[in-house]
Amino acid sequence: QVQLVESGGGLVQAGGSLRLSCAASGRTFSSLAMGWFRQAPGKERDFVAAINWNGGATNYADAVKGRFTISRDHAKNTLYLQMNSLKPEDTAVYYCAVSTRYNGPDYAPRRVDEYAYWGQGTQVTVSS
């Protein structure tokens, strides 16, 4: 079974940067898409960014486009989210996930129900 562990969250001032990592273990997931989602208190889990199986295609939520960058390193079995120009509204628990299936070479889904495996989450707090 795939296991995912997020790290890199913390407290940062508005305008600052953080880099989240998601380390994977267990069976290979190299042919699957991966994504980042976030959930603020009292809110639904929302899409942040996704990346296809080989890193050549990405999708971003409008709220983070131009500020966040998703990437993956197959050799290290690790997913990353570089977050720049952080805003207080970015405050949330951030989760990494692996897609349920392979659905084409550019598949990088945006829906929660397209993902099968989830990490435990890492807290990101942005102060004003």
Side-chain angles (χ1 to χ4, degrees):
Q1 186 179 78
V2 173
Q3 293 147 355
L4 305 171
V5 179
E6 301 96 335
S7 62
L11 176 64
V12 65
Q13 295 269 36
S17 297
L18 286 172
R19 191 190 196 198
L20 305 184
S21 298
C22 174
S25 62
R27 70 175 180 87
T28 182
F29 60 93
S30 61
S31 65
L32 299 176
M34 298 186 71
W36 288 98
F37 293 77
R38 65 188 183 186
Q39 189 166 24
K43 302 293 182 64
E44 295 182 356
R45 189 168 299 187
D46 289 330
F47 171 74
V48 176
I51 190 165
N52 78 321
W53 75 277
N54 69 359
T58 58
N59 284 313
Y60 294 95
D62 288 344
V64 307
K65 191 174 183 179
R67 299 188 297 121
F68 292 8
T69 302
I70 188 171
S71 61
R72 65 192 299 170
D73 186 333
H74 285 284
K76 293 183 170 63
N77 295 313
T78 302
L79 178 74
Y80 302 99
L81 185 69
Q82 178 66 47
M83 305 187 295
N84 298 326
S85 302
L86 283 162
K87 305 174 180 179
E89 50 263 47
D90 295 319
T91 296
V93 177
Y94 283 70
Y95 300 89
C96 69
V98 178
S99 67
T100 304
R101 69 191 73 82
Y102 177 82
N103 198 29
D106 296 324
Y107 182 58
R110 306 169 72 95
R111 294 179 59 88
V112 168
D113 61 7
E114 294 286 346
Y115 292 84
Y117 304 101
W118 296 85
Q120 85 289 347
T122 186
Q123 177 71 49
V124 171
T125 302
V126 184
S127 63
S128 58

